Amino acid sequence: QVQLVESGGGLVQAGDSLRLSCAASGRTFSTYNMGWFRQAPGKEREFVAGISSSGLTTYYKDSVKGRFTISRDNAKKTVYLQMNSLKPEDTAVYYCAAAPTPSTQSALYDYWGQGTPVTVSS
């Protein structure tokens, strides 16, 4: 079992940067593919970025490519989301999640954190 705790969210202005962290507990973290999702008010949860268990493969939602970077440190059991050039439309609650296989589908993720809010003002 994996428990996930996100941190790093906050209120920023358009063009600013934030780095989200997701700390995991459990001995099997390094075997899981990790993902970041977000949910804006009144909208469905959407995939943002994913990374393979080894960290060698990453994939992104088109609208964040070139601005967001996902990474992981298996020794620290932590996954990160570096967010640059933030836009008001990036405003959402951001969740990290763990899945046994790489996926952009939230239904295939077994474990979820509680979320961290990000608000980008214009």
Side-chain angles (χ1 to χ4, degrees):
Q1 186 158 351
V2 177
Q3 293 183 325
L4 304 170
V5 179
E6 302 96 334
S7 61
L11 172 63
V12 297
Q13 294 186 333
D16 286 351
S17 298
L18 274 178
R19 188 174 83 154
L20 305 183
S21 299
C22 174
S25 63
R27 293 178 293 177
T28 58
F29 172 76
S30 63
T31 67
Y32 280 90
N33 297 273
M34 299 298 296
W36 284 96
F37 290 76
R38 67 187 182 188
Q39 187 166 18
K43 295 187 177 182
E44 293 188 355
R45 189 172 299 187
E46 63 177 6
F47 170 80
V48 176
I51 188 166
S52 62
S53 57
S54 67
L56 294 178
T57 302
T58 59
Y59 39 103
Y60 299 90
K61 174 181 175 62
D62 284 346
S63 64
V64 307
K65 285 181 182 177
R67 300 189 299 123
F68 290 11
T69 302
I70 188 171
S71 62
R72 68 189 294 163
D73 185 333
N74 284 343
K76 295 183 178 180
K77 297 182 181 179
T78 302
V79 62
Y80 305 96
L81 185 67
Q82 177 67 43
M83 306 187 294
N84 299 330
S85 303
L86 282 162
K87 304 175 180 180
E89 51 264 44
D90 295 319
T91 295
V93 177
Y94 283 72
Y95 301 88
C96 70
T101 58
S103 177
T104 63
Q105 304 301 312
S106 61
L108 298 182
Y109 282 75
D110 294 332
Y111 302 105
W112 292 82
Q114 82 291 347
T116 185
V118 172
T119 303
V120 184
S121 63
S122 58

